[in-house]
Amino acid sequence: MKFWWRWQKRGNELEKEIQHHLRMAEDDRVERGASMRDARAGALREFGNVGLAKETARDVWGWRWLQDVGEDMRYGARTLRKQLGFTTIIVLTLALGIGANTAIFSLVDTALLKALPVRDSDQLVALQWKAHKEPAHTSISSYGDCDTNFRKTNASGCSFSEPFFREVASKDDIFSCVAAFGGARRLNLSGAGDATMVDRAEYVTGSYFETLRIKPAMGRLLAREDDTPSAASVVVLSYRSWRSRFGGSKEILGKTILLNRVPFLVVGVAEEAFDSLSPGKIFDMWLPLASESRLETPWDNRDVDASYFRLVIVGRLKPETAVRTVTAEINTLFQNEVVRPVGRGGLPMLKPEDGATVELRPLEKGLNGARRNAAAPLYLMFLVVGIVLLIACANVAGLMLARASSRQREMAVRFALGASTGRILQQLLTESLMLSCAGGAVGILFATWCLAAIIGFLQSNQDGPLPFTPSMDTRVLVYTAIISVLTGVLFGLAPALRGLRVDLTPALKEGVGSSSQLSRARKGWFTAGNSLVIAQVALSIVVLAGAGLLVRTLQNLKNVNPGFDTQNVLTFSIDPTLVGYKISDADQFYGQLKERLAQMPGVTSVSYSWRPLLGGGLWTTSFHLEGTPKDQDSDADVLPVGPEFFRTMRISVLDGHDFGPADFARAQMLATAREKRNVERAAKMKSDAAAARQIASEDLPPTPAIVNQAFVRKYMPSVNPIGRVFGAQAADPTKGEDKSAGWEIAGVVADARYNKLRRAVEPTIYLPNSGGQVSFAIRTAADPSRFVPQIRALVSQLDSNLPVFEIRSETEQIERQIFLERLVARLSGFFGGLALTLACIGLYGLISYEVAQRTREIGIRSALGAARRDVLRLVLKQGMRLAVIGAVAGLALALVITRYAKEMLFEVKAADPVTFLWVLLLLFSVTLLACFVPARRATKVDPVVALRYE
């Protein structure tokens, strides 16, 4: 405002000075006897052009451009308002392109670009180890915080043992502050209303919030004194959990809640911006690492077992410490740790020649959480909407070129009156920027609608909060403003330059739309307009090809035969062990619940398993197969199941028999014996690790097992598998291996997919389930969703402390598993259709313009005897020729680009000929329709009217 006021003030002063000079000149002439009229005219002649003098003065001030821009905007607004239809089409076209980019950028920005919600994150580093081979005699847990590679060679990960963390934390010269965290199992929450499950809890060290410099929203956060074995059990809630679970009540502070029936004192709530350190992971609460032994299996001894890698370590660098120095010291500590005999069986985890090293990675790169799964589809969608925007720009540029041709007389008049090339270029670009900014403004509304639809789709496939919640924040609006300006320059530059190439004499003599002027403007067949249409067709082919491949991928996934009947099956999970059930108690509870569920009207069969089929859970094992080399292991999937599981899921038993009561009794006996042995070892582990490893495993019978056809084909193709025992091994305390009688095959069943539709059927071992968490499967005669209230009430009657969770139909389970493919297919299909529509609108506009400009030519042809079909063929040939050239170029480009999406495809190749053929047929069909309308209009040209056109 101050600048504007100064500009206005100096302008007024200049006006007063000029008028004062003119009055003085007038007065001088009047004194010499001239009349007032002659004096005024003489003063003006002597002074010269007043407007030119003002412009010269403003040029000296450097403010001329501001006035020019204002004048250009006013003139552009009047011009565009006069051509309202033209303006509306361009604004809507740009709104679609800019809005699509804004919506997808909002997703990309939220999921991939936003900084971690911690203070001074540039000082934080995450530790990641690497080695030439995977560490032996270890147990490694990864919770999805970073990229891991547990292959036999070139292994890497970010999980470390608790003893190693304690050793790093004890070195004051390494970090100013260091913390560690690890995932927690599902917890049973009670003491604050109905019992519920906490799926997202995290164990952290007492220095966690101090290292990250997180502040409390209420109360206090965890401190170092909370992370000791003798400390009271305390918990910190996330802001989101405090609002959703406890209604945002401040009275929760200082109250006790029960987690797995263990009392925990709520001491604080973390600040609202902090949900997790790893992107996309949202936690409900944070617990001291020392409290883990009170909540989970007591025989793990994770706090003293150096071979149990499970904690992510984050450190804050000292300002004066070089990263190279810190890395060298930590490498020394890690190498000493892994070569010592601390692994399972008292053996070293790695040898010195295995090249174990630790890298200090910046936190933004070291912890990628859910970003690594979201990156590929998001970048693919970002590429797609970028192509859509290019098509929109080419479309608008074609319209602007046509408009520039019709404005050549106007440009010629401007040049004749003395306008400079730069001044006219500025005027034309200003009009383009006004259109693009209007398109951006409308595009924000379109983007808001798109985001709402995407968020609604994501939320419908998610039980808890979304890992990433996009919004139209300042960053997104700035991005929209930038691409709006760039878009205006991109589509406006070529028409503006075209408008400057004017031959003054012919332009001033000829009328608008002159065919002779048009013939001089056209230089060869590849005109600017034709080239833009070809580009639009080529780019739309790329988008349509990608969309076609992704839609076929989704269709292939839906057509996969899972190996069991997914209709009318309801699944839900339950875990009695979280509230203290022993193995025998849990088995008894499962039997009672199964019997009560089976008695419900409309239920045809009931069973349970360790995890639901196609639920995402996976258990694998390795074993030695008799007749193979001693050092060669075989792999198989493992799924413990309950009575009548195969009948309930309708998986055929092909040989042998299903599990009976005797099989489940033996499984319970084996599980109880192993639990007793583990408890004995745990009691000895802290005082005498060597003695604990020497506790012998008793002689136990083999576990009954049922295998699938894939197991028989791979491992027993030429023998009868029934009754065969496999996987037996002798005890070897030096390797931490217990004696095992292996498994005895009782039956063979048909193949069924285990955890994912994308994963092929692998050799699978089904075992009788005993204890632990299970997932019930209920087959019903009608819609299974109506049984949900009855199931919850029934479980509550048996034990009110046991919440039911993950309750959904098998069909819904499958839909959720492929929801990412569904989302990508929907978005790519929508943007593919949008690209095709824009390309065809561009082609329609060009052909219509050409028909209008060639009206006289068409009239002459008709007058000379050309039939209507000849005129129709002439126009259609021009449009189809452009489409064919664009299709060839687009196919070549699509073959290159679609290769980068091959990891997202399923049972379809990136260069699938069927998909490309359908894309071409669709393109040519729509192109023919777009060309037919102006071609039909051309056949109705009256030769007499056409010859009078000019």
Side-chain angles (χ1 to χ4, degrees):
M1 288 296 295
K2 184 177 180 181
F3 174 79
W4 177 263
W5 180 80
R6 289 177 57 195
W7 182 44
Q8 288 291 101
K9 181 179 178 181
R10 296 193 67 175
N12 293 334
E13 290 176 351
L14 175 62
E15 178 67 26
K16 290 179 180 179
E17 184 176 350
I18 292 175
Q19 294 301 324
H20 178 68
H21 181 83
L22 290 175
R23 282 196 300 271
M24 290 178 60
E26 290 178 20
D27 293 342
D28 183 60
R29 282 173 168 74
V30 170
E31 291 176 358
R32 288 184 292 177
S35 65
M36 288 295 296
R37 181 177 179 181
D38 293 339
R40 180 67 177 175
L44 288 173
R45 283 196 303 270
E46 181 181 355
F47 185 84
N49 192 324
V50 175
L52 182 60
K54 292 180 181 180
E55 291 182 0
T56 304
R58 293 191 185 101
D59 288 341
V60 174
W61 297 344
W63 298 347
R64 169 74 178 277
W65 64 272
L66 190 60
Q67 182 181 7
D68 290 345
V69 168
E71 292 175 353
D72 291 342
M73 292 180 65
R74 287 191 294 271
Y75 178 79
R78 291 196 304 269
T79 303
L80 296 175
R81 190 165 54 247
K82 291 178 180 178
Q83 299 174 321
L84 193 57
F86 170 85
T87 303
T88 302
I89 291 175
I90 288 184
V91 169
L92 291 179
T93 300
L94 292 175
L96 293 175
I98 295 174
N101 272 266
T102 300
I104 300 301
F105 175 78
S106 179
L107 290 170
V108 172
D109 180 58
T110 302
L112 306 178
L113 303 180
K114 278 193 174 178
L116 297 178
V118 295
R119 292 169 179 82
D120 304 319
S121 61
D122 57 314
Q123 300 174 6
L124 293 171
V125 293
L127 276 60
Q128 186 169 31
W129 61 265
K130 294 180 180 180
H132 299 326
K133 58 181 291 188
E134 183 181 6
H137 319 297
T138 59
S139 177
I140 302 177
S141 297
S142 175
Y143 300 97
D145 297 290
C146 66
D147 292 326
T148 56
N149 179 12
F150 298 151
R151 294 182 302 186
K152 299 295 184 182
T153 59
N154 297 323
S156 64
C158 61
S159 299
F160 294 86
S161 68
E162 187 172 341
F164 177 74
F165 164 74
R166 301 296 180 194
E167 188 170 5
V168 172
S170 66
K171 306 291 184 181
D172 296 332
D173 58 332
I174 298 181
F175 295 110
S176 63
C177 199
V178 62
F181 59 91
R185 289 180 59 196
R186 188 178 279 112
L187 301 174
N188 184 302
L189 171 63
S190 57
D194 295 335
T196 59
M197 299 302 295
V198 178
D199 298 324
R200 298 172 294 274
E202 188 173 45
Y203 294 117
V204 300
T205 59
S207 56
Y208 181 75
F209 293 105
E210 176 189 351
T211 302
L212 303 183
R213 297 179 179 173
I214 303 299
K215 296 181 179 179
M218 187 172 61
R220 68 173 181 87
L221 303 178
L222 297 179
R224 295 175 188 267
E225 53 269 21
D226 296 317
D227 189 25
T228 61
S230 60
S233 298
V234 296
V235 61
V236 170
L237 304 176
S238 71
Y239 191 90
R240 186 194 301 263
S241 176
W242 172 57
R243 299 282 295 182
S244 60
R245 289 181 181 269
F246 304 100
S249 173
K250 295 183 179 180
E251 297 179 358
I252 192 64
L253 279 183
K255 287 195 173 183
T256 299
I257 60 175
L258 299 179
L259 297 174
N260 294 357
R261 290 190 175 178
V262 178
F264 276 78
L265 183 69
V266 179
V267 296
V269 177
E271 60 182 282
E272 184 177 4
F274 184 76
D275 284 321
S276 167
L277 189 58
S278 299
K281 298 180 70 176
I282 299 175
F283 291 107
D284 293 326
M285 57 184 63
W286 294 274
L287 306 163
L289 185 61
S291 65
E292 183 179 20
S293 60
R294 307 167 199 170
L295 293 169
E296 300 198 8
T297 310
W299 54 77
D300 284 339
N301 289 301
R302 304 174 182 183
D303 55 336
V304 297
D305 191 350
S307 65
Y308 203 121
F309 287 22
R310 65 192 179 93
L311 297 177
V312 178
I313 300 177
V314 174
R316 185 174 291 277
L317 295 171
K318 295 181 177 180
E320 69 278 3
T321 305
V323 176
R324 183 178 301 177
T325 304
V326 177
T327 303
E329 190 164 354
I330 290 181
N331 269 320
T332 301
L333 295 176
F334 184 69
Q335 290 162 4
N336 292 338
E337 181 83 4
V338 296
V339 299
R340 291 191 297 116
V342 295
R344 301 292 169 85
L347 298 174
M349 293 174 278
L350 290 169
K351 298 177 181 178
E353 59 268 22
D354 290 331
T357 60
V358 174
E359 179 185 358
L360 270 62
R361 306 197 66 191
L363 201 60
E364 296 279 357
K365 297 181 179 179
L367 300 181
N368 49 19
R371 283 180 174 174
R372 63 182 181 276
N373 294 327
L378 284 180
Y379 282 136
L380 177 63
M381 286 297 99
F382 203 42
L383 174 64
V384 168
V385 295
I387 294 176
V388 170
L389 182 59
L390 288 177
I391 294 174
C393 288
N395 195 319
V396 173
L399 294 174
M400 296 291 285
L401 279 173
R403 183 168 178 260
S405 299
S406 65
R407 297 178 66 184
Q408 287 192 358
R409 182 178 178 83
E410 174 192 344
M411 297 299 109
V413 172
R414 286 175 174 267
F415 278 121
L417 294 177
S420 65
T421 301
R423 188 68 185 81
I424 294 181
L425 181 63
Q426 177 181 319
Q427 168 64 46
L428 296 176
L429 287 179
T430 299
E431 293 179 12
S432 299
L433 289 172
M434 291 175 65
L435 288 170
S436 65
C437 290
V442 179
I444 291 176
L445 300 178
F446 177 64
T448 303
W449 174 81
C450 286
L451 272 183
I454 293 173
I455 291 174
F457 179 82
L458 293 175
Q459 194 65 65
S460 66
N461 292 272
Q462 186 94 5
D463 288 328
L466 295 177
F468 304 107
T469 305
S471 61
M472 300 295 292
D473 56 16
T474 304
R475 289 161 59 96
V476 176
L477 295 178
V478 170
Y479 171 81
T480 305
I482 292 174
I483 64 168
S484 296
V485 172
L486 293 178
T487 299
V489 174
L490 182 63
F491 76 75
L493 192 59
L497 295 176
R498 168 76 174 273
L500 298 178
R501 298 197 302 268
V502 179
D503 191 352
L504 295 183
T505 303
L508 291 173
K509 289 182 177 180
E510 296 168 357
V512 177
S514 171
S515 59
S516 59
Q517 180 69 16
L518 178 65
S519 64
R520 282 190 292 272
R522 185 184 301 132
K523 297 180 180 179
W525 193 81
F526 282 100
T527 62
N530 288 351
S531 300
L532 288 172
V533 169
I534 291 172
Q536 292 178 65
V537 173
L539 292 173
S540 63
I541 283 284
V542 175
V543 178
L544 285 171
L549 293 173
L550 293 171
V551 169
R552 289 202 61 193
T553 289
L554 178 61
Q555 195 61 42
N556 291 341
L557 284 170
K558 288 185 175 182
N559 292 336
V560 166
N561 179 14
F564 61 94
D565 187 0
T566 63
Q567 298 300 314
N568 292 339
V569 175
L570 185 70
T571 65
F572 67 90
S573 297
I574 196 167
D575 191 354
T577 63
L578 296 181
V579 291
Y581 277 60
K582 302 299 183 183
I583 292 177
S584 58
D585 298 331
D587 289 343
Q588 183 179 1
F589 178 84
Y590 294 150
Q592 293 176 354
L593 181 58
K594 178 179 181 300
E595 183 179 354
R596 297 281 294 274
L597 290 171
Q599 294 173 358
M600 292 170 54
V603 173
T604 59
S605 59
V606 181
S607 186
Y608 55 86
S609 58
W610 172 69
R611 294 291 185 273
L613 291 177
L614 298 180
L618 178 63
W619 179 356
T620 62
T621 189
S622 297
F623 57 90
H624 181 260
L625 197 63
E626 185 179 353
T628 60
K630 187 176 181 179
D631 58 347
Q632 177 180 322
D633 284 340
S634 302
D635 299 322
D637 297 341
V638 178
L639 180 63
V641 300
E644 299 182 326
F645 175 79
F646 302 108
R647 172 175 169 266
T648 301
M649 303 310 296
R650 295 182 180 174
I651 301 175
S652 301
V653 179
L654 305 177
D655 199 1
H657 63 82
D658 197 354
F659 293 129
D663 297 315
F664 287 99
R666 185 192 295 186
Q668 185 183 109
M669 180 269 294
L670 293 173
T672 304
R674 295 190 189 102
E675 183 180 48
K676 179 182 177 181
R677 181 185 61 212
N678 289 332
V679 171
E680 291 177 358
R681 285 180 176 170
K684 280 274 188 181
M685 189 71 181
K686 288 183 171 64
S687 58
D688 190 348
R693 285 191 288 267
Q694 296 301 320
I695 294 178
S697 53
E698 57 268 64
D699 291 330
L700 298 173
T703 304
I706 293 176
V707 298
N708 66 349
Q709 290 174 292
F711 186 96
V712 175
R713 285 194 300 268
K714 186 172 183 178
Y715 298 128
M716 302 177 183
S718 57
V719 297
N720 182 11
I722 304 301
R724 291 185 65 87
V725 177
F726 66 96
Q729 67 179 24
D732 189 350
T734 62
K735 295 182 179 180
E737 295 176 352
D738 291 321
K739 181 180 180 180
S740 172
W743 299 278
E744 181 180 1
I745 299 177
V748 178
V749 296
D751 290 336
R753 306 245 171 183
Y754 187 161
N755 62 323
K756 293 181 179 179
L757 287 173
R758 282 181 175 266
R759 187 170 180 261
V761 176
E762 299 291 340
T764 304
I765 305 170
Y766 297 95
L767 305 175
N769 186 87
S770 183
Q773 173 189 327
V774 300
S775 175
F776 271 81
I778 303 174
R779 184 169 294 280
T780 63
D783 180 13
S785 62
R786 69 183 182 89
F787 292 88
V788 173
Q790 302 175 56
I791 292 171
R792 292 189 184 276
L794 182 56
V795 174
S796 180
Q797 290 174 13
L798 294 176
D799 191 335
S800 59
N801 291 319
L802 283 180
V804 174
F805 56 97
E806 294 179 349
I807 182 165
R808 60 181 67 102
S809 68
E810 191 68 46
T811 303
E812 182 184 357
Q813 195 126 259
I814 294 174
E815 289 296 307
R816 289 194 174 203
Q817 188 181 113
I818 61 174
F819 92 94
L820 185 60
E821 287 84 356
R822 291 162 54 209
L823 174 64
V824 173
R826 287 188 181 190
L827 289 177
S828 61
F830 173 76
F831 292 133
L834 181 60
L836 179 62
T837 302
L838 291 176
C840 289
I841 289 175
L843 182 61
Y844 170 81
L846 176 70
I847 299 301
S848 297
Y849 176 74
E850 290 287 335
V851 168
Q853 294 296 323
R854 298 172 66 180
T855 301
R856 188 165 187 245
E857 174 191 343
I858 294 172
I860 293 174
R861 289 176 178 270
S862 300
L864 293 177
R868 288 192 172 186
R869 64 175 180 274
D870 297 325
V871 175
L872 185 67
R873 189 186 305 114
L874 174 69
V875 179
L876 290 178
K877 182 179 179 182
Q878 180 185 3
M880 295 305 295
R881 185 185 303 171
L882 295 175
V884 169
I885 297 174
V888 172
L891 284 176
L893 189 59
L895 289 173
V896 175
I897 293 179
T898 52
R899 291 187 303 171
Y900 296 99
K902 61 182 179 181
E903 292 185 358
M904 300 179 62
L905 305 180
F906 178 74
E907 293 185 355
V908 61
K909 295 181 179 179
D912 180 56
V914 176
T915 302
F916 281 82
L917 179 61
W918 277 108
V919 168
L920 289 176
L921 289 176
L922 176 63
L923 174 74
F924 289 139
S925 299
V926 178
T927 299
L928 190 63
L929 180 63
C931 295
F932 180 78
V933 176
R936 187 168 179 272
R937 189 185 309 127
T939 61
K940 297 182 178 181
V941 172
D942 188 342
V944 177
V945 175
L947 293 175
R948 297 175 180 172
Y949 183 67
E950 299 187 19

